[in-house]
Amino acid sequence: MATTSAALPSMAALSLSPPPLLSASSSSCSRQCLHPPRPRRNLVWVLNPGAPGGPVCSTQVLKEGTRDDRVVDRSLLEFEEASSDDELWAASCLRVRTFNQFNPSTYAVEDLKRSLAEREFEALKERIAGKRESFRRVSCINATLPMSQIMIGSNDLLSTCKFSKSGKDRVVVATLDLNQCLWLPDEIVGTKPQQDIGADFARAYLSNVCVAEELQRNGLGYALIAKSKIVAQEWGITDLYVHVAVDNEAAKKLYMKSGFEYESEEPAWQARFLDRPRRILLWTSIAASCDL
């Protein structure tokens, strides 16, 4: 289903937005760190620690196109707007690990990861603080789980995407940005509502939509988008947009399920000029009541 402009390989990476995580000056470095998709691995998750008889555990072999729906205890999920720098940093780290593939043997690869996360973190804080021109309002919305629910097999997710809330450790497992603005830089522009009836207030875009690789196909993306609609409605938004690569079928399927429909697509010349896959623009009305 900000970011690199590389093609999105899976449902984990669902949309793109400015500012890019990788600028032209850093593209040569990032290409050196690109690596074929990481092999799927065995994971052990605590499913329901409070179940009768004690914790219920299951070993999952993560295969393409399959997922055990019991992996996530949905009662422990929280969908909220980020309220601390600690959580914004965790969300930035999740975006870096989702939108990039790194070769572990590459020299100073951990330094590169941290540099990319710092760049996204600072840009995200600026947008939320209203310091980026053309952004009227921005919120980072996350899905989080208690750290105890992610036990074995994903040390990287635990170490890079955790944060502390009310004295307890949680992990950001899905994230997106809600941007109240007329347009996103370098993206095709929505047409609803019309400019003369307050489009700068009533139009918004989703961006940086991603789900942790380990927890895909558990409905997190769908639920996170539903939460973003509720927040957008509270802001007075009536028309919500998202950009998605034309060949990202998993993301398009998710957005269509969430009520989005096709509005327009990027000209081929623009995609070539920006050296990225061509995008389509999807739209949905959120004037009606939205519920998770």
Side-chain angles (χ1 to χ4, degrees):
M1 350 213 117
T3 61
T4 174
S5 58
L8 302 182
S10 70
M11 188 175 174
L14 300 177
S15 79
L16 301 167
S17 79
L21 285 178
L22 303 183
S23 64
S25 62
S26 64
S27 61
S28 60
C29 178
S30 65
R31 281 194 292 269
Q32 295 174 3
C33 296
L34 292 177
H35 191 264
R38 290 169 285 185
R40 298 287 179 172
R41 53 195 181 275
N42 292 339
L43 300 176
V44 179
W45 303 88
V46 171
L47 305 179
N48 186 358
V56 180
C57 300
S58 175
T59 301
Q60 305 296 330
V61 179
L62 306 185
K63 298 180 181 179
E64 191 66 34
T66 65
R67 176 67 65 182
D68 189 328
D69 292 338
R70 297 175 300 168
V71 169
V72 174
D73 184 344
R74 296 183 67 85
S75 68
L76 298 176
L77 279 165
E78 291 185 0
F79 296 87
E80 296 181 326
E81 297 179 75
S83 57
S84 69
D85 283 358
D86 196 20
E87 186 174 353
L88 291 177
W89 173 257
S92 299
C93 290
L94 179 61
R95 296 171 186 189
V96 168
R97 76 191 297 271
T98 299
F99 294 127
N100 300 274
Q101 296 291 340
F102 299 96
N103 185 341
S105 64
T106 300
Y107 176 74
V109 66
E110 294 303 322
D111 290 340
L112 174 61
K113 290 179 183 180
R114 184 169 185 84
S115 175
L116 295 176
E118 288 173 348
R119 186 183 308 175
E120 170 60 8
F121 175 62
E122 293 300 329
L124 180 55
K125 286 201 301 180
E126 286 185 4
R127 295 197 299 273
I128 291 174
K131 297 180 180 179
R132 286 294 180 96
E133 186 178 356
S134 81
F135 289 90
R136 185 183 183 97
R137 189 174 183 180
V138 177
S139 179
C140 172
I141 304 174
N142 298 324
T144 69
L145 275 171
M147 190 171 177
S148 60
Q149 289 297 294
I150 305 175
M151 299 299 292
I152 300 173
S154 188
N155 293 333
D156 180 66
L157 180 64
L158 289 171
S159 63
T160 60
C161 301
K162 70 177 180 180
F163 68 102
S164 180
K165 179 181 177 182
S166 301
K168 298 181 179 180
D169 288 333
R170 298 188 67 86
V171 179
V172 174
V173 294
T175 181
L176 61 74
D177 289 340
L178 176 65
N179 308 275
Q180 185 181 35
C181 56
L182 283 173
W183 64 79
L184 295 180
D186 294 328
E187 299 286 5
I188 46 180
V189 180
T191 61
K192 302 181 184 71
Q194 297 297 321
Q195 175 64 38
D196 58 353
I197 56 174
D200 60 330
F201 177 81
R203 184 187 304 165
Y205 298 82
L206 298 182
S207 61
N208 292 318
V209 186
C210 62
V211 176
E213 176 188 29
E214 296 86 347
L215 295 177
Q216 294 172 36
R217 296 183 176 86
N218 277 283
L220 296 183
Y222 181 80
L224 192 63
I225 291 169
K227 174 63 176 180
S228 73
K229 290 181 179 181
I230 294 173
V231 175
Q233 189 179 39
E234 293 172 351
W235 291 3
I237 301 298
T238 60
D239 297 272
L240 185 62
Y241 285 92
V242 66
H243 299 87
V244 60
V246 294
D247 59 352
N248 194 336
E249 296 300 328
K252 287 190 288 186
K253 182 177 179 180
L254 169 65
Y255 292 129
M256 296 297 184
K257 179 182 177 182
S258 300
F260 286 82
E261 58 188 64
Y262 174 91
E263 179 170 293
S264 61
E265 62 185 72
E266 183 178 42
W269 67 263
Q270 182 173 327
R272 288 195 300 269
F273 177 77
L274 295 171
D275 190 26
R276 69 183 188 194
R278 194 158 52 95
R279 316 286 180 79
I280 61 173
L281 181 63
L282 303 178
W283 163 87
T284 188
S285 170
I286 56 172
S289 177
C290 301
D291 297 301
L292 270 174

